[in-house]
Every structure is written in structure tokens, then in C-alpha cells.
Amino acid sequence: MYREAHLKLADAALTRAEKLAGWAEDAARGDGQHKAVPYAAAGTLWDSIARTHLRIAQAMPADDTTPEV
């Protein structure tokens, strides 16, 4: 997998994390407070996935060359 692919996956995961954080905040303020913790936990998981893809991308060469094994 190339660096650009990991960056795109990190962006997608971060978008999900942001959406879930918003849902958690809305749930905490409304009648669905019992949903706030699961939304926040899922958001934290997606944030971790985003950070992992970002770290992998940072470790790869920027010129899309495939590292030799």
C-alpha cells in the first residue's frame, strides 16, 4: 500500500471520528445521554485508526516508491 493510500485512509477515519464526537456531544446534551459513551468510545477507536494510518504514511517514502523487502 502506498503512502497516499494511508493518508486517504487516515482522512476517512478522522472524518468518522469527528462525526462520532459530534453525535456523542449531541447525545450528552439531549435525551439520548445513554448513547453518549458508546459514540465517544467509537470515536476514540476511529481516531486511533486515523493516527495509525498517519504514522504508517509518515514512515513511508514520499515519492510512492515501494520499499524493498
Side-chain angles (χ1 to χ4, degrees):
M1 186 178 293
Y2 292 114
R3 183 176 191 264
E4 189 63 33
H6 281 289
L7 291 173
K8 286 179 182 178
L9 288 169
D11 185 55
L14 186 57
T15 299
R16 281 184 144 176
E18 290 172 336
K19 185 182 289 187
L20 286 160
W23 291 352
E25 185 176 2
D26 290 344
R29 292 183 178 165
D31 292 333
Q33 291 183 352
H34 63 284
K35 295 179 183 179
V37 172
Y39 284 148
T44 300
L45 173 64
W46 280 105
D47 176 64
S48 178
I49 292 168
R51 289 172 188 262
T52 299
H53 279 294
L54 182 59
R55 287 185 188 121
I56 292 169
Q58 289 173 337
M60 297 180 81
D63 61 358
D64 282 346
T65 57
T66 305
E68 294 192 28
V69 179

